[in-house]
Amino acid sequence: MRAGSLLGLLRAPGIALRSATLSYRYRPAELLKLPIRAVWTARLDKHPDAGLSLGGRLYLGFFPGPDGIRSSEEIVHLARDRPVRVTLSRGSTFETQGVVLVAPGAEFVVSENGELSIGSGVLINSGVSVLCWDSVTIGDDCSFAFDSVVMDTDFHRIRPGQAGVTAPVVIGNHVWVGARATILKGVTIGDGAIVAAGSIVTRDVPARALVAGVPAGVIRHDVEWDR
Ligand SMILES: CC(C)(COP(=O)(O)OP(=O)(O)OC[C@H]1O[C@@H](n2cnc3c(N)ncnc32)[C@H](O)[C@@H]1OP(=O)(O)O)[C@@H](O)C(=O)NCCC(=O)NCCS
């Protein structure tokens, strides 16, 4: 662990303690690397038969300072009083490919046998919900603005015997999801796309398209965005 990083942890004993507890529960042999950095109130409820595999550090409830992608001051603190929560049910899996930053009040729920996969350099802002009942895949370098929702299930049938209440969601690389946007079951979003604030995405989004509205439609092609 780098000296600056260690000093930072010592100045925040709540973070040090919670990070150590969750990292130890994740993989005792990797305790010293602290693969999970978490605020005191962060919750990681993992069924013993659930799989957790981290390809990089997972930050829960704060964004890192000098040694990370963003400083904590840049989090939109709409949900700072709510804990960040990760729930992994029996038989579910949650894997990441690299650093993933999750702000306060964000929630991941992976239901029985669900599969949640998140790439590298992904930023999940406050109050975001990811509800995974089947499969949710999020690529590298994505940003989810505050209170956005990703859900791969409708939860309820609206017709007797209706099939297709649940279907995988695939979000490509470098996708920006605006504040309070909702991405519904079965949707695939192409690389580099932007989902405008408040949109409800019910159909696939082409790569590098900007979609907006309810239901979301393409309003611009060949867009670019940066952090
Ligand atoms: C994606 C976004 C940045 C695009 O902004 P922009 O390129 O300046 O878009 P414009 O204002 O030129 O709007 C283009 C058209 O789309 C419409 N539009 C823009 N945003 C919209 C939205 N969220 N929902 C519905 N329609 C929208 C505009 O009314 C306009 O329509 P018109 O051509 O008929 O007048 C912006 O829509 C947005 O979502 N901003 C919020 C981003 C956010 O959530 N940030 C949180 C921190 S990460």
Side-chain angles (χ1 to χ4, degrees), residues 76 125 144-146 176-179 194-199 210 212-213 219-220:
V76 177
N125 220 310
F144 292 78
F146 55 87
W176 175 24
V177 177
I194 302 173
V195 177
S199 308
L210 165 58
I219 60 169
R220 207 176 294 152

Side-chain angles (χ1 to χ4, degrees), residues 126-222:
S126 62
V128 169
S129 302
V130 178
L131 308 177
C132 172
W133 259 238
D134 176 2
S135 166
V136 173
T137 306
I138 295 169
D140 298 336
D141 192 33
C142 291
S143 277
F144 292 78
F146 55 87
D147 291 340
S148 55
V149 175
V150 178
M151 49 198 275
D152 68 358
T153 181
D154 294 339
F155 291 97
H156 306 287
R157 289 183 216 294
I158 57 169
R159 295 180 290 279
Q162 179 193 358
V165 171
T166 300
V169 169
V170 179
I171 298 174
N173 297 321
H174 193 58
V175 170
W176 175 24
V177 177
R180 304 210 158 110
T182 299
I183 295 162
L184 294 178
K185 68 176 188 303
V187 162
T188 294
I189 300 186
D191 294 346
I194 302 173
V195 177
S199 308
I200 309 273
V201 185
T202 57
R203 299 283 178 258
D204 291 354
V205 174
R208 298 186 60 199
L210 165 58
V211 294
V214 180
V218 176
I219 60 169
R220 207 176 294 152
H221 293 279
D222 288 325

Side-chain angles (χ1 to χ4, degrees), residues 26-27 51-56 93-97 118:
Y26 166 58
R27 260 178 212 165
L52 176 61
S53 166
L54 301 178
T93 56
F94 174 27
E95 62 169 37
T96 65
Q97 306 301 328
I118 303 184

Side-chain angles (χ1 to χ4, degrees), residues 9-51:
L9 281 175
L10 290 175
R11 275 193 227 107
I15 291 182
L17 201 57
R18 196 69 183 138
S19 303
T21 312
L22 294 184
S23 295
Y24 183 79
R25 269 173 43 198
Y26 166 58
R27 260 178 212 165
E30 289 182 24
L31 170 63
L32 286 181
K33 290 192 207 153
L34 292 184
I36 301 176
R37 301 273 174 105
V39 295
W40 175 246
T41 53
R43 288 182 54 183
L44 172 57
D45 298 320
K46 177 182 164 302
H47 189 280
D49 293 335

Side-chain angles (χ1 to χ4, degrees), residues 87-106:
T87 306
L88 306 178
S89 305
R90 179 199 301 269
S92 68
T93 56
F94 174 27
E95 62 169 37
T96 65
Q97 306 301 328
V99 176
V100 174
L101 307 172
V102 189

